[in-house]
Amino acid sequence: MSGPEPGPGMDASGEARSGRSEMLRNNVPYIAIVLVVLLFTIVSGDRFLSVRNWTFIAQQTPVLLLLAYAQLIVVTTGSIDISVGSSLGFSMYMAVLGMVWLGPVGIVCGILAATVIGFVNGSIFSLLKISSFVTTLAMLIIVRALLNIISDGGSIYVTEQAATGTYVDSVAAPWLLALGRFPNILIFALVVTALMWVFYEKTLFGQQLKALGGSERVLSLFGVSVTWFKIQVFVAAGFMVGLASLISLGRSGAGTPRAGEQFELDAIAAVALGGTPLTGGHGSVLRTVVGALTLTVVANGLTIAGVDPSWSRVARGVLLIIAIAISLNRRRIGVVK
Amino acid sequence: MSENGGALLQVEEVAKSFGGVQALRSGSFELSRGEIIAIVGANGAGKSTLIKIVAGVYRPDSGRMLVRGEPVAPRDHNVGHMRHLGIEVVYQDLAIVPNMNAPYNLFLGRIPKRFGIFVDENAMRRKTREILEDLKVTTVQSLREPISAMSGGQQQSVAIGRAIAWGREIVILDEPTAALGPTETGEVERLMHEIRDRGTAVILISHNLEQVFRLADRILVVHHGLTTPAFPRSGVTSEQLVRAITLGEQVA
């Protein structure tokens, strides 16, 4: 009866079936994290379940989580931003450099830098109509190169106390290091999560993200200024990367030329593990939390189990493919490029 | 208000080309309140281009358009301004955002806000129910589900409801019944009479000549990018109309 491509007038049983698989897809993130936690509990037991380890996970997740939110904003519209890792590293360096120049307020340079990178991403993508993948790939390379040029290969450290003598490549900001520690970093992430949820679910901007992922053509037919909105999307994502750069700096204690490398992949993986289709149209903040947490727990659990870090990355790659394979609604996909 | 012999809309020699191809060489017609005008013509004759100019999707290369006697300035010739003037379109493919719910689609481009940034979902749902009730459309069940979960007929109701709700002056219907069965077609035609009776003008694009004869007060033929003067439906035979469409012959 129901062929591989059911039309809009799907029969009732087909609808019920697609309803069930829809429900399964929506719950994949939750099922995945439960399975992962169970698995590592069996393998490593107390060492995995210890308070100390979960405190570590709570410290480890927030940077990835905020990067995943940046990615979620973009992915919901059906685009992608693979420059978030470079942007994170660049913003961390600009934040710490800003503090060297201007004192504590200079930290806004980090948020500013990430937001400007978002604006450039959005403008190239929207005005020059170059695909978001190509645009942000170019920006991934350019921003990383600029970071190398500005830093000249050196790092600037955030320290508890003002450094004495001629050692200039550091800035004292104990408050920032405190922000990077448990529980402050977790509280920060929870506050951002609450704001992100309101932004994503309740504002016109959030609703427009999903609509843009659904049909850009229809939005422009009804007078919505899609060109400008697409720029704003990347600016919003950039701002979120800027927030991530603050806690990342607090946690790592240094702006370095290599900070944030390959983080874009983890951010995309977290969003995908959260069941958000990379084709856009819908997504979920709470499931993205679960996705980011799953990714962190897997990395953590494999380390505790004594798995070589390279094999750990292999495992996370495989996990990503499994998660996307389950979360995709293949019945609605005609062509895959 | 309505000077110029009561013309609500005057389209004067508008033309549009795309990359050297003249989609519309010259289109002119007038429209009065409470009137149904049918635009007919072969595929590629320029009907779609003409209505997209009226809807503000395309800005004409030359010619001008007046609404209630006021010329539309070229810089205002966009969808937002035309919708502000009360001109709405029901597109052939319905132009709905499939992953969003019925209220979102009804309020597309005019989402009510609270405190400037939040979506006023309650107001949207309430107004959606009112609009659908006004249209005597009672088949739409869930207002929270994505509209793609609804049947084709229900989606059509929402698309038409949207145009009727906001199109105070002019509602443009592009092949509104091409994909519908007889019952749904009857329903759409009933709605067209209803909005005409409240004083709204209707522009109907249809390939179905029986429907054109049944509904239209006047008929406008587009042939090879040119409009011929619109003529009243009465006193025209279907043979004359077919000759006008295929050969561009003037009628009466």
Side-chain angles (χ1 to χ4, degrees), chain A residues 8-9 15 198-199 201-205 207-208 210-215 217-224 280-282 332, chain B residues 52 57 79-80 83 88-89 91 93 95-100 104 108-109 111 113 117-119 121 124 148-150 155 162:
Chain A
E15 248 166 58
V198 171
F199 169 77
E201 297 293 342
K202 295 294 166 193
T203 67
L204 180 57
F205 197 97
Q207 198 176 48
Q208 212 85 286
K210 295 157 203 162
L212 184 65
S215 178
R217 186 187 61 87
V218 171
L219 289 196
S220 20
L221 270 183
F222 283 82
V224 176
H282 60 91
R332 289 204 191 138
Chain B
K52 281 188 168 163
V57 177
V79 175
R83 294 190 82 198
E88 291 283 334
V89 190
Y91 289 97
D93 68 355
I96 52 174
V97 185
N99 58 319
M100 305 301 280
Y104 178 86
L108 192 50
I111 305 283
K113 285 177 284 187
I117 54 168
F118 297 110
V119 178
E121 286 179 44
M124 280 167 72
S148 58
M150 294 181 177
Q155 295 180 10
R162 172 173 63 193

Side-chain angles (χ1 to χ4, degrees), chain A residues 5-325:
Chain A
E5 291 172 46
M10 211 189 286
D11 62 290
S13 69
E15 248 166 58
R17 216 177 314 126
S18 90
R20 269 200 305 278
S21 58
E22 190 81 42
M23 214 163 79
L24 177 68
R25 267 194 300 281
N26 289 339
N27 289 318
V28 161
Y30 302 110
I31 298 167
I33 193 158
V34 168
L35 289 180
V36 163
V37 168
L38 277 178
L39 176 72
F40 288 121
T41 304
I42 293 165
V43 173
S44 303
D46 288 350
R47 279 203 300 152
F48 174 71
L49 281 182
S50 69
V51 172
R52 187 162 160 270
N53 191 44
W54 280 89
T55 307
F56 181 73
I57 289 171
Q59 257 178 322
Q60 191 87 328
T61 312
V63 174
L64 171 60
L65 182 62
L66 266 51
L67 286 184
Y69 290 159
Q71 199 63 253
L72 177 65
I73 291 169
V74 175
V75 164
T76 305
T77 69
S79 297
I80 199 155
D81 184 351
I82 57 173
S83 71
V84 293
S86 292
S87 181
L88 180 80
F90 188 82
S91 312
M92 285 167 69
Y93 195 85
M94 290 312 289
V96 73
L97 195 59
M99 287 196 292
V100 171
W101 289 337
L102 307 166
V105 289
I107 199 166
V108 296
C109 290
I111 295 182
L112 214 61
T115 310
V116 168
I117 292 168
F119 179 76
V120 174
N121 272 330
S123 300
I124 296 173
F125 162 61
S126 186
L127 299 176
L128 300 183
K129 298 190 191 300
I130 296 173
S131 83
S132 59
F133 180 82
V134 174
T135 300
T136 57
L137 174 62
M139 287 295 281
L140 176 153
I141 299 164
I142 292 169
V143 169
R144 181 64 65 186
L146 287 177
L147 173 55
N148 281 319
I149 293 166
I150 292 172
S151 67
D152 199 16
S155 305
I156 305 178
Y157 296 92
V158 181
T159 55
E160 295 283 354
Q161 289 167 345
T164 51
T166 55
Y167 190 58
V168 289
D169 287 345
S170 74
V171 60
W175 54 274
L176 185 56
L177 295 174
L179 176 66
R181 278 193 293 268
F182 184 84
N184 299 341
I185 192 169
L186 182 64
I187 294 167
F188 186 88
L190 289 177
V191 170
V192 173
T193 298
L195 293 174
M196 176 70 190
W197 185 84
V198 171
F199 169 77
Y200 193 79
E201 297 293 342
K202 295 294 166 193
T203 67
L204 180 57
F205 197 97
Q207 198 176 48
Q208 212 85 286
L209 291 174
K210 295 157 203 162
L212 184 65
S215 178
E216 179 175 337
R217 186 187 61 87
V218 171
L219 289 196
S220 20
L221 270 183
F222 283 82
V224 176
S225 171
V226 174
T227 307
W228 174 228
F229 181 69
K230 279 155 76 173
I231 296 175
Q232 290 175 300
V233 168
F234 278 87
V235 168
F239 179 78
M240 191 57 86
V241 174
L243 290 182
S245 77
L246 300 191
I247 51 173
S248 184
L249 190 58
R251 206 176 126 60
S252 71
T256 75
R258 301 198 59 179
E261 271 180 353
Q262 295 196 8
F263 276 29
E264 57 279 343
L265 298 179
D266 283 344
I268 295 166
V271 170
L273 281 170
T276 298
L278 298 184
T279 42
H282 60 91
S284 153
V285 172
L286 296 182
R287 288 203 297 272
T288 300
V289 174
V290 176
L293 198 56
T294 307
L295 211 60
T296 313
V297 167
V298 168
N300 171 273
L302 290 174
T303 306
I304 288 181
V307 175
D308 180 85
S310 294
W311 282 110
S312 165
R313 287 202 79 79
V314 170
R316 286 151 76 186
V318 171
L319 185 67
L320 172 63
I321 289 177
I322 294 172
I324 294 182

